[in-house]
Amino acid sequence: MGVHQYFKSLSDLEQIIRCPGKFKYQEHSVASHSFKVTKIAQFLGTVEEKSGQKVDWRILYEKALNHDYAELFTGDIKTPVKYASKELKQLFNEVEEEMTRKFVEKEIPSEFQAIYLERFKEGKDETLEGRILSVADKIDLLYEAFGEIQKGNPEPLFIEIYEEALRTILLFQDMNCVKYFLEHILTDMLNERFTEHDELTGIAMRIIEEHNG
Amino acid sequence: MGVHQYFKSLSDLEQIIRCPGKFKYQEHSVASHSFKVTKIAQFLGTVEEKSGQKVDWRILYEKALNHDYAELFTGDIKTPVKYASKELKQLFNEVEEEMTRKFVEKEIPSEFQAIYLERFKEGKDETLEGRILSVADKIDLLYEAFGEIQKGNPEPLFIEIYEEALRTILLFQDMNCVKYFLEHILTDMLNERFTEHDELTGIAMRIIEEHNG
Amino acid sequence: MGVHQYFKSLSDLEQIIRCPGKFKYQEHSVASHSFKVTKIAQFLGTVEEKSGQKVDWRILYEKALNHDYAELFTGDIKTPVKYASKELKQLFNEVEEEMTRKFVEKEIPSEFQAIYLERFKEGKDETLEGRILSVADKIDLLYEAFGEIQKGNPEPLFIEIYEEALRTILLFQDMNCVKYFLEHILTDMLNERFTEHDELTGIAMRIIEEHNG
Amino acid sequence: MGVHQYFKSLSDLEQIIRCPGKFKYQEHSVASHSFKVTKIAQFLGTVEEKSGQKVDWRILYEKALNHDYAELFTGDIKTPVKYASKELKQLFNEVEEEMTRKFVEKEIPSEFQAIYLERFKEGKDETLEGRILSVADKIDLLYEAFGEIQKGNPEPLFIEIYEEALRTILLFQDMNCVKYFLEHILTDMLNERFTEHDELTGIAMRIIEEHNG
Amino acid sequence: MGVHQYFKSLSDLEQIIRCPGKFKYQEHSVASHSFKVTKIAQFLGTVEEKSGQKVDWRILYEKALNHDYAELFTGDIKTPVKYASKELKQLFNEVEEEMTRKFVEKEIPSEFQAIYLERFKEGKDETLEGRILSVADKIDLLYEAFGEIQKGNPEPLFIEIYEEALRTILLFQDMNCVKYFLEHILTDMLNERFTEHDELTGIAMRIIEEHNG
Amino acid sequence: MGVHQYFKSLSDLEQIIRCPGKFKYQEHSVASHSFKVTKIAQFLGTVEEKSGQKVDWRILYEKALNHDYAELFTGDIKTPVKYASKELKQLFNEVEEEMTRKFVEKEIPSEFQAIYLERFKEGKDETLEGRILSVADKIDLLYEAFGEIQKGNPEPLFIEIYEEALRTILLFQDMNCVKYFLEHILTDMLNERFTEHDELTGIAMRIIEEHNG
């Protein structure tokens, strides 16, 4: 029934929780993830531009904003399923494209259909913008896994996700933004202080002494 | 790493929420759903037995308890995706079986592997027990949709699920338990009183009058 | 401590719930809201472009993505407070700008500070992009209020928010995208079917009859 | 281990949800309930004082604040269980008192034990303050049930609770504060507007007309 | 009003949270617990059967599925209350039985009442199936406590529950399934790696080195 | 619309979550906080009384119960904003008072307005009761921060809050109740055992040995 349905569907993305089937201290929706990936891509694009690359910002923002929209139609399929066989992955991609196409034809008014079909295409191509999206998507995933590990999640899956995300980022280490990330951001992440109980006694003692000294 | 991993995985089923991507007043996990389906199957089996059918209870309980265990490996794939093409459905089934087989080989000690491979097989076959499972699964789905509609969920999807569940149940209406369901249970569901605000004034007035009369 | 802190702060925006202090069936975070506003702005910009306007997409996306980032520093202050007096509003704005400036100076590396100070400026100016943002922000608010009303929220505040959001949108009705919204989108929203309990009996009866007919 | 344990136990009262085992749109903890009952008792006491009664405020506040503290030891036992037989109720009361006594002896320093034993005694006695507590407790329960009914909860239990709470309040209608409640507060509760979808179209049309007129 | 009420009551078991009144990272409902206990009992029964014992599977599944159904009527009463005195425990059991009997007489059609009265009886008797249930119930409790301890819950109660559950399991160590549990499952549980922050730096360094090596 | 609105507003305080915008393992509402502060103030007042001070209990309870009621009108403004400048703080206080005054004039019947204006005034004055409130408010904040630190929250903000709360308490260390707190309560808090994974193996081994010994 048109754009009203499309606008309403944005709120459904707030209801899809990433990484289902595992205990998490903090849950993240596809809507929040898309927001964060777009903001991260904005920073990475800024680094590339500073380094002399030409960034097509309109394209970059479109890719980042829309990169997970198709999960609305397919739900959250676990990665090992998708990649279980080349044949399955191929078929799955065809189904995803078909469903997206049908949604666009049903809900988007005809004068905008071409634009939206373009917007909902797989964004992770070999262009600079496609590569920035690939990196930004994995950086947010790395932060999600880091958040769980830092909060004490004993589930080994988050260590595996952390490793896999970092490995993928390294595939793009010829990019200026990835070099920047490894040098200036990852370092700070690894240096994060872990709040320790033992500190508390020290802090309390110090405050009391200072005050009375 | 053995049965410990298998026991831990039961708790992961509490983390998979059914019907993701849509606002729901009340969420249901795969673990809760499996419990309710088993209890419903117990009742349906009791009706069949009373009607003179021979029920293999061990088989019925095993089918009901385990019928959604494979969602642990695949996540929650939306039905339209699974059924998008015959080819895709076939491939998905193969992947699902493969993953289940690998899990059993990795976690279940060898002396129990044959038993668990049997337990994790698709349960909805043409036996009496398989047919009871098919009905019980849809009755719980019908109750889930009914719960949302009754609570005021404006999402049309729940009306669609309600219709689809009822249609599937009717495919089994030669069964005694389905006849019983349609005659004695569905009727009560449809007669449910909807709490109305207008009642409140009436109730309050009546109580006050009674008390003072 | 640099960009790492900035990336982490994005996740804090998932923890700020809009419209605190009132019962809501469905909660929305500032992160989700920012995502939806950017997607709505994308559509409105597309309408403007189709109508012959020149849209600066980079600017539009930047404005939409960042428009509520300052809530990270100030928390969620109720609108009536902010607008209680001209003097207070002026002072609040100064404090907000000051805090944003300090954050940029502390966390953003010096070579990017000018860019981020620009990005975090108030985006709702008199440019086409600023006006699109004003409209997109209120459309998402309208949808939030509509969602609560449709789900049965008895709190009159949501009617008030609905009214206020619509009034503000109408202030921009000289814009092509607002005309489009009023004609094609708002109409569909108001025609939404409300799921009724009474329908259920009808549907169940029809399905049973069809099946047996 | 002393007052530290007592202070920590206050937070456990935030973890006991009232009326467990039934779907609720909005949950209430024993901590929140105790806060609201104390505030309601404050208002009722004010009405009594205005009417010329002598209120012992210290006693009233102590009774209201502590009236559900024993749930910490017993958990949330459903009312029908407690009242299933006179004998059982008597035994339960003895157990409750015994557990409270043991807690006080273990955690409260000896110089304060007498005071806390007094504070944790059953507060609903025949004094003015005990009767105000009885009424305040039921008014908050009435509001909890009203909140669910108004939000559309189809569970008949909330109508039953509403009725039972109102009946109990009426047992105290010789009190000035109950007369005030029935005349000025209950009336407003029953006149509450229920937000209707149909209104929305009217409101939207009116706003658009006003704006364009 | 019949089986419809019985089916609806299954969903109420999703609303009863185990171990109320204490902060928990992960909550478990009575419905989920019943599912997990039944699955654990299935495994334990399989071990017994392999060891040459004769398992009555129908009885075992019925006992496990229904073992906590009476909490629907009584709510969640804390264990120390129940066991405060022999007299109280006796009376409490009588009340529980009485309430279950009334429910069966009211909701279950007369032709099935005898069956359901049997199903809702206390299942932990001296039969092999009753003993398997006792063990399975405590194993799930052990996993619940372990889950909290592993996630970092500082509440000493979970250590106490862990101890109490293990002690009870040991009372049944003449059983083959308990021997299996102690030898093969508990060992793995105690060997679980706790995710450590320090690992992260190591992992990141190793990945980067490997990649660049 | 009178006292009905006032009673309903109490429930809105259950919807305002303290310390928004940061991940927390356990959330606390303004309603719960008010309850706990009042209970803590009760204990502190008892200590003062034992030490020979004259406590005006009515005043103390009123101050504690109402001390955060104004957050209903202003929402949760982050402390650094409030204190950003003397001028802003002054203006902000005026707005808060104005809003409270308007609420009282609109909702509280005229015969009770003077009483409620008095009750909603800033309670932290230089009287004994005002000083007890200041301490009680910070003790509850200290417990909130301690709870997060003890559960493993890596956010440095909670260490900062812990420090700030303790520093403020020390400003009142001439008071008997603060001396008592530092000597008997803080000590126990700092001695709290942190549940350690390593303990588990030890405990399990000890139990098994004891049992078999």
Side-chain angles (χ1 to χ4, degrees):
Chain A
M1 305 182 194
V3 181
H4 171 55
Q5 288 306 317
Y6 172 55
F7 281 6
K8 272 183 64 178
S9 76
L10 298 175
S11 190
D12 289 350
L13 293 172
E14 293 177 273
Q15 301 284 325
I16 304 181
I17 299 304
R18 284 164 59 83
C19 193
K22 286 294 170 193
F23 168 79
K24 291 167 292 289
Y25 293 105
Q26 183 177 13
E27 300 195 324
H28 304 279
S29 71
V30 172
S32 294
H33 167 67
S34 298
F35 167 70
K36 291 185 292 176
V37 167
T38 311
K39 293 276 283 185
I40 293 168
Q42 180 180 63
F43 182 78
L44 302 180
T46 307
V47 173
E48 290 295 334
E49 207 168 57
K50 277 271 167 192
S51 316
Q53 299 291 310
K54 173 93 195 81
V55 176
D56 185 329
W57 287 99
R58 175 180 186 164
I59 293 294
L60 179 58
Y61 284 123
E62 286 196 359
K63 280 177 186 290
L65 268 179
N66 295 317
H67 82 285
D68 269 349
Y69 190 74
E71 292 202 10
L72 204 65
F73 317 124
T74 59
D76 203 348
I77 301 174
K78 296 204 171 174
T79 312
V81 179
K82 279 198 213 165
Y83 293 84
S85 81
K86 224 176 170 172
E87 220 180 332
L88 184 72
K89 182 161 169 46
Q90 167 92 30
L91 266 176
F92 180 77
N93 284 351
E94 285 167 20
V95 168
E96 205 170 82
E97 275 168 36
E98 177 71 7
M99 286 183 150
T100 308
R101 197 181 51 69
K102 274 190 188 154
F103 178 82
V104 168
E105 284 172 4
K106 191 172 160 219
E107 307 296 1
I108 304 290
S110 54
E111 68 263 41
F112 305 117
Q113 286 185 3
I115 295 171
Y116 274 87
L117 283 175
E118 185 63 28
R119 280 180 184 158
F120 290 155
K121 276 200 335 194
E122 169 59 46
K124 292 178 182 168
D125 53 26
E126 283 308 303
T127 61
L128 175 63
E129 294 77 20
R131 287 159 56 87
I132 291 176
L133 169 59
S134 295
V135 174
D137 196 20
K138 289 301 179 187
I139 289 179
D140 190 52
L141 185 61
L142 196 80
Y143 270 88
E144 283 185 12
F146 177 73
E148 290 304 308
I149 296 164
Q150 198 188 28
K151 288 179 187 78
N153 197 319
E155 172 60 55
L157 178 70
F158 295 104
I159 291 280
E160 289 164 30
I161 290 176
Y162 187 91
E163 289 193 30
E164 188 271 334
L166 190 53
R167 277 184 211 284
T168 308
I169 292 167
L170 284 166
L171 297 177
F172 296 89
Q173 73 181 307
D174 58 303
M175 295 175 75
N176 301 298
C177 62
V178 172
K179 283 183 195 123
Y180 191 96
F181 172 75
L182 295 173
E183 221 167 297
H184 297 103
I185 304 175
L186 184 65
T187 333
D188 280 356
M189 184 197 265
L190 295 173
N191 285 338
E192 279 252 329
R193 184 176 65 115
F194 271 47
T195 301
E196 292 298 335
H197 175 236
D198 295 349
E199 280 184 70
L200 274 194
T201 310
I203 286 169
M205 290 308 134
R206 181 171 47 73
I207 290 178
I208 294 173
E209 272 165 37
E210 271 170 30
H211 197 269
N212 296 337
Chain B
M1 304 180 195
V3 182
H4 171 55
Q5 288 307 315
Y6 172 55
F7 281 5
K8 271 184 66 179
S9 75
L10 299 175
S11 190
D12 288 350
L13 293 171
E14 295 177 272
Q15 301 284 325
I16 306 182
I17 299 305
R18 285 165 57 81
C19 193
K22 286 294 170 191
F23 168 79
K24 291 166 293 288
Y25 292 106
Q26 185 177 9
E27 299 196 324
H28 304 280
S29 71
V30 172
S32 294
H33 166 68
S34 298
F35 168 70
K36 291 185 293 174
V37 167
T38 311
K39 293 275 284 183
I40 292 168
Q42 182 181 60
F43 181 78
L44 301 180
T46 307
V47 173
E48 291 294 334
E49 206 168 57
K50 276 271 165 193
S51 315
Q53 299 291 311
K54 173 92 194 83
V55 177
D56 185 329
W57 286 99
R58 175 180 186 164
I59 294 294
L60 180 58
Y61 285 122
E62 285 196 359
K63 281 177 184 290
L65 268 180
N66 295 317
H67 82 285
D68 270 348
Y69 190 74
E71 291 203 12
L72 204 65
F73 318 125
T74 60
D76 202 347
I77 301 173
K78 295 204 171 175
T79 312
V81 178
K82 277 197 210 162
Y83 293 84
S85 82
K86 227 177 165 169
E87 223 180 329
L88 185 73
K89 184 164 168 44
Q90 169 91 32
L91 271 173
F92 258 132
N93 285 351
E94 286 168 18
V95 169
E96 208 170 81
E97 276 169 36
E98 177 71 7
M99 287 180 150
T100 308
R101 197 181 51 70
K102 274 190 189 154
F103 178 83
V104 169
E105 285 172 3
K106 190 173 162 218
E107 308 295 1
I108 304 290
S110 54
E111 68 263 41
F112 305 117
Q113 286 185 1
I115 296 171
Y116 275 87
L117 283 174
E118 185 64 28
R119 280 179 184 160
F120 290 156
K121 272 199 339 192
E122 168 61 44
K124 292 177 181 168
D125 54 27
E126 283 309 302
T127 62
L128 176 62
E129 294 76 21
R131 287 159 56 86
I132 291 176
L133 169 59
S134 294
V135 174
D137 196 19
K138 289 300 179 185
I139 288 178
D140 190 52
L141 185 60
L142 196 79
Y143 270 88
E144 283 185 12
F146 177 72
E148 290 303 308
I149 295 164
Q150 199 188 27
K151 286 178 189 77
N153 196 320
E155 173 60 56
L157 178 71
F158 295 103
I159 290 279
E160 288 166 31
I161 290 176
Y162 188 92
E163 289 193 32
E164 190 271 333
L166 190 52
R167 276 182 212 287
T168 307
I169 293 168
L170 284 167
L171 296 177
F172 296 89
Q173 74 180 304
D174 58 302
M175 296 175 75
N176 301 298
C177 62
V178 172
K179 283 185 194 120
Y180 190 96
F181 171 75
L182 294 174
E183 222 169 294
H184 297 103
I185 304 175
L186 184 65
T187 333
D188 279 357
M189 184 198 266
L190 295 173
N191 284 338
E192 279 251 328
R193 185 175 67 115
F194 271 49
T195 300
E196 293 298 335
H197 174 236
D198 294 351
E199 279 184 69
L200 273 194
T201 310
I203 286 168
M205 289 308 133
R206 182 170 50 72
I207 290 176
I208 294 174
E209 273 165 35
E210 273 170 32
H211 198 268
N212 296 337
Chain C
M1 305 180 196
V3 181
H4 171 55
Q5 288 308 316
Y6 172 56
F7 281 6
K8 271 184 66 178
S9 75
L10 300 175
S11 191
D12 289 350
L13 293 172
E14 294 177 273
Q15 301 284 326
I16 305 181
I17 299 304
R18 284 164 59 81
C19 193
K22 286 294 170 190
F23 168 79
K24 291 167 293 290
Y25 292 105
Q26 186 176 9
E27 299 196 324
H28 304 279
S29 71
V30 172
S32 294
H33 166 67
S34 299
F35 168 70
K36 291 185 292 174
V37 167
T38 311
K39 292 277 283 185
I40 292 169
Q42 180 180 63
F43 181 77
L44 301 180
T46 308
V47 172
E48 291 294 333
E49 205 168 59
K50 276 273 166 190
S51 315
Q53 298 292 311
K54 174 91 195 80
V55 177
D56 185 329
W57 286 99
R58 176 181 185 165
I59 293 294
L60 179 58
Y61 284 123
E62 287 195 359
K63 280 176 185 291
L65 268 180
N66 295 318
H67 83 285
D68 269 348
Y69 189 74
E71 292 202 10
L72 204 64
F73 317 124
T74 60
D76 203 348
I77 301 173
K78 294 205 172 173
T79 312
V81 179
K82 276 197 212 163
Y83 293 84
S85 81
K86 227 176 165 170
E87 223 179 327
L88 185 73
K89 184 164 168 44
Q90 167 93 29
L91 271 173
F92 258 134
N93 285 353
E94 285 168 19
V95 169
E96 205 170 85
E97 275 168 37
E98 177 70 9
M99 286 181 150
T100 308
R101 197 180 52 70
K102 274 188 189 154
F103 178 83
V104 168
E105 284 173 3
K106 190 174 162 217
E107 307 296 2
I108 304 290
S110 54
E111 68 263 40
F112 305 117
Q113 286 184 1
I115 296 171
Y116 274 87
L117 282 175
E118 185 64 28
R119 279 178 185 160
F120 290 157
K121 274 201 334 195
E122 169 60 44
K124 291 178 182 169
D125 54 27
E126 283 309 302
T127 62
L128 176 62
E129 294 76 21
R131 287 159 57 86
I132 291 176
L133 168 59
S134 295
V135 174
D137 196 20
K138 288 301 177 184
I139 288 179
D140 190 51
L141 185 61
L142 196 80
Y143 269 88
E144 283 185 13
F146 177 73
E148 289 303 307
I149 295 165
Q150 198 187 28
K151 286 178 188 77
N153 197 320
E155 172 60 55
L157 179 71
F158 295 104
I159 291 278
E160 287 165 30
I161 290 176
Y162 188 91
E163 288 192 32
E164 188 271 334
L166 190 51
R167 276 182 214 284
T168 307
I169 293 168
L170 283 166
L171 297 177
F172 296 88
Q173 76 180 304
D174 59 302
M175 295 175 75
N176 300 298
C177 62
V178 173
K179 284 185 194 121
Y180 191 97
F181 171 74
L182 295 174
E183 222 169 294
H184 297 103
I185 304 175
L186 183 65
T187 332
D188 279 358
M189 184 198 266
L190 295 174
N191 284 338
E192 279 251 329
R193 184 175 68 115
F194 271 48
T195 301
E196 293 297 334
H197 175 237
D198 295 349
E199 279 184 70
L200 272 195
T201 311
I203 286 170
M205 289 308 134
R206 182 170 49 73
I207 290 177
I208 294 174
E209 272 165 37
E210 273 171 30
H211 197 269
N212 297 338
Chain D
M1 304 180 195
V3 182
H4 171 55
Q5 288 308 315
Y6 172 56
F7 281 6
K8 271 184 67 178
S9 75
L10 299 175
S11 190
D12 288 350
L13 293 172
E14 295 176 272
Q15 301 283 326
I16 305 181
I17 298 305
R18 285 165 57 82
C19 192
K22 286 295 170 190
F23 169 79
K24 290 167 294 289
Y25 292 107
Q26 185 176 10
E27 300 195 324
H28 304 279
S29 71
V30 172
S32 295
H33 167 67
S34 299
F35 168 70
K36 292 184 293 175
V37 167
T38 312
K39 292 276 284 185
I40 291 168
Q42 180 180 63
F43 181 77
L44 301 180
T46 307
V47 173
E48 291 294 335
E49 206 169 55
K50 276 270 166 192
S51 314
Q53 298 291 311
K54 173 93 195 81
V55 177
D56 185 330
W57 286 100
R58 176 180 184 165
I59 294 294
L60 179 58
Y61 285 123
E62 285 196 0
K63 280 177 184 289
L65 268 180
N66 295 319
H67 82 286
D68 269 349
Y69 190 73
E71 292 203 9
L72 204 66
F73 317 124
T74 61
D76 202 349
I77 302 172
K78 294 203 172 176
T79 312
V81 178
K82 277 198 212 165
Y83 293 84
S85 82
K86 227 175 164 171
E87 222 179 330
L88 184 73
K89 184 164 167 44
Q90 167 94 30
L91 271 173
F92 258 133
N93 285 352
E94 285 168 19
V95 169
E96 207 170 83
E97 274 168 38
E98 176 72 6
M99 287 182 150
T100 307
R101 198 181 52 72
K102 274 190 191 155
F103 178 83
V104 168
E105 284 172 4
K106 190 173 162 219
E107 308 295 0
I108 304 289
S110 54
E111 68 262 42
F112 305 116
Q113 286 184 2
I115 295 171
Y116 274 88
L117 282 174
E118 185 65 27
R119 280 180 184 157
F120 290 156
K121 274 203 333 198
E122 170 61 45
K124 292 177 181 169
D125 54 27
E126 283 310 302
T127 61
L128 176 63
E129 294 75 22
R131 287 158 56 86
I132 291 177
L133 169 58
S134 294
V135 174
D137 196 19
K138 289 301 178 183
I139 288 179
D140 191 51
L141 186 60
L142 196 81
Y143 269 89
E144 282 186 13
F146 176 72
E148 290 304 308
I149 296 164
Q150 198 187 29
K151 286 178 190 77
N153 197 319
E155 174 58 56
L157 178 70
F158 294 104
I159 291 280
E160 288 164 30
I161 291 176
Y162 188 90
E163 289 193 31
E164 189 271 333
L166 190 51
R167 276 182 213 284
T168 307
I169 292 168
L170 283 166
L171 297 177
F172 297 89
Q173 73 181 308
D174 58 303
M175 296 175 75
N176 301 298
C177 63
V178 172
K179 283 183 196 123
Y180 191 97
F181 172 74
L182 294 173
E183 222 169 294
H184 297 104
I185 304 175
L186 184 65
T187 333
D188 279 358
M189 184 198 265
L190 295 173
N191 285 338
E192 278 252 329
R193 185 175 67 115
F194 272 47
T195 300
E196 292 299 333
H197 175 237
D198 295 350
E199 279 184 69
L200 272 195
T201 311
I203 286 169
M205 289 308 133
R206 182 171 48 73
I207 290 177
I208 294 173
E209 271 166 36
E210 272 169 32
H211 198 268
N212 296 339
Chain E
M1 305 181 193
V3 182
H4 171 54
Q5 287 308 316
Y6 172 56
F7 281 7
K8 271 183 65 177
S9 75
L10 300 175
S11 190
D12 289 350
L13 293 171
E14 294 176 273
Q15 301 284 324
I16 305 181
I17 299 304
R18 285 164 59 80
C19 192
K22 285 295 170 194
F23 168 80
K24 292 167 292 289
Y25 293 107
Q26 185 176 10
E27 300 195 323
H28 305 279
S29 71
V30 172
S32 294
H33 167 66
S34 299
F35 168 71
K36 291 183 293 175
V37 168
T38 312
K39 293 276 285 184
I40 292 168
Q42 181 179 62
F43 181 77
L44 302 180
T46 307
V47 173
E48 291 294 335
E49 207 170 56
K50 277 270 165 193
S51 315
Q53 299 291 311
K54 173 92 195 81
V55 177
D56 185 330
W57 287 98
R58 175 180 186 164
I59 293 294
L60 179 58
Y61 285 124
E62 287 197 359
K63 280 177 185 291
L65 268 179
N66 295 318
H67 82 285
D68 269 348
Y69 190 73
E71 292 204 8
L72 204 64
F73 317 124
T74 60
D76 203 347
I77 301 175
K78 296 204 171 174
T79 312
V81 179
K82 278 198 214 165
Y83 294 83
S85 82
K86 225 176 170 172
E87 220 181 333
L88 184 73
K89 183 161 168 46
Q90 168 91 30
L91 267 176
F92 180 77
N93 285 351
E94 286 167 21
V95 168
E96 205 171 82
E97 275 167 36
E98 176 72 6
M99 286 182 150
T100 308
R101 198 181 50 69
K102 275 190 189 154
F103 178 83
V104 168
E105 284 172 5
K106 190 172 161 216
E107 308 295 2
I108 304 291
S110 54
E111 68 262 41
F112 305 118
Q113 285 183 4
I115 297 172
Y116 274 88
L117 283 174
E118 186 64 27
R119 280 180 184 159
F120 291 155
K121 274 200 335 197
E122 170 59 47
K124 292 177 182 168
D125 53 27
E126 283 307 303
T127 62
L128 176 62
E129 294 77 19
R131 287 159 56 85
I132 292 177
L133 170 58
S134 295
V135 175
D137 196 19
K138 289 300 179 186
I139 289 180
D140 191 51
L141 185 61
L142 196 79
Y143 270 89
E144 283 185 13
F146 176 72
E148 290 303 308
I149 296 164
Q150 199 187 26
K151 287 177 189 77
N153 197 321
E155 173 60 55
L157 178 71
F158 295 104
I159 290 279
E160 288 165 30
I161 291 176
Y162 188 91
E163 289 193 30
E164 187 273 333
L166 190 51
R167 277 183 212 283
T168 307
I169 292 168
L170 283 167
L171 297 178
F172 297 88
Q173 73 181 312
D174 59 302
M175 296 175 74
N176 301 298
C177 62
V178 172
K179 284 183 195 123
Y180 191 97
F181 172 75
L182 294 174
E183 220 167 298
H184 297 104
I185 304 175
L186 184 64
T187 332
D188 280 357
M189 184 198 265
L190 295 173
N191 284 338
E192 278 252 330
R193 183 176 68 116
F194 272 47
T195 301
E196 294 297 335
H197 175 235
D198 295 349
E199 281 185 69
L200 273 194
T201 311
I203 286 169
M205 290 308 133
R206 181 171 48 73
I207 290 177
I208 294 173
E209 272 166 35
E210 272 169 32
H211 198 270
N212 296 338
Chain F
M1 305 182 193
V3 181
H4 171 54
Q5 288 308 315
Y6 172 56
F7 281 7
K8 273 183 65 179
S9 76
L10 300 175
S11 189
D12 289 351
L13 293 172
E14 294 177 273
Q15 302 284 323
I16 305 182
I17 299 304
R18 284 164 59 81
C19 192
K22 285 295 169 191
F23 168 80
K24 289 167 293 288
Y25 292 106
Q26 185 176 11
E27 299 195 325
H28 305 280
S29 71
V30 172
S32 296
H33 167 66
S34 298
F35 168 70
K36 292 184 293 175
V37 167
T38 311
K39 293 276 283 184
I40 292 168
Q42 181 180 62
F43 181 78
L44 302 180
T46 307
V47 173
E48 291 294 334
E49 208 170 55
K50 277 270 167 195
S51 315
Q53 298 291 312
K54 173 92 195 81
V55 177
D56 184 330
W57 286 99
R58 175 180 186 164
I59 293 293
L60 179 58
Y61 285 123
E62 286 197 0
K63 279 176 186 289
L65 268 179
N66 295 317
H67 82 286
D68 269 349
Y69 190 73
E71 291 203 9
L72 204 65
F73 318 124
T74 59
D76 203 348
I77 302 175
K78 297 204 169 175
T79 312
V81 179
K82 277 199 213 165
Y83 295 83
S85 81
K86 226 176 169 171
E87 220 180 331
L88 184 72
K89 182 159 170 48
Q90 167 92 29
L91 267 176
F92 180 76
N93 285 351
E94 285 168 19
V95 168
E96 206 170 81
E97 275 168 36
E98 176 72 8
M99 287 181 150
T100 307
R101 196 181 51 70
K102 274 190 189 154
F103 178 82
V104 169
E105 284 172 5
K106 192 173 161 217
E107 308 295 2
I108 304 291
S110 54
E111 69 263 41
F112 305 116
Q113 286 183 3
I115 295 171
Y116 274 88
L117 283 175
E118 185 63 29
R119 281 180 184 158
F120 290 157
K121 274 201 337 196
E122 170 59 45
K124 291 177 182 168
D125 53 28
E126 284 308 302
T127 61
L128 176 62
E129 294 77 20
R131 287 159 56 87
I132 291 177
L133 169 58
S134 295
V135 174
D137 196 19
K138 290 301 178 185
I139 288 179
D140 190 52
L141 186 60
L142 196 80
Y143 270 88
E144 283 185 13
F146 177 72
E148 290 304 307
I149 295 164
Q150 198 187 28
K151 287 177 187 78
N153 197 320
E155 173 60 56
L157 179 70
F158 295 103
I159 292 279
E160 288 166 31
I161 291 176
Y162 187 90
E163 290 193 30
E164 188 272 333
L166 190 51
R167 278 184 210 284
T168 307
I169 292 167
L170 284 167
L171 297 178
F172 296 89
Q173 74 181 311
D174 59 303
M175 296 175 74
N176 301 298
C177 63
V178 172
K179 285 185 194 121
Y180 191 97
F181 171 76
L182 294 175
E183 221 168 296
H184 297 104
I185 305 176
L186 184 65
T187 333
D188 280 357
M189 184 197 264
L190 295 173
N191 284 338
E192 279 251 328
R193 183 176 67 116
F194 271 48
T195 302
E196 293 298 335
H197 174 236
D198 294 350
E199 282 185 68
L200 274 193
T201 310
I203 286 169
M205 289 308 134
R206 180 171 49 74
I207 290 177
I208 293 173
E209 272 165 38
E210 271 170 31
H211 198 270
N212 296 337

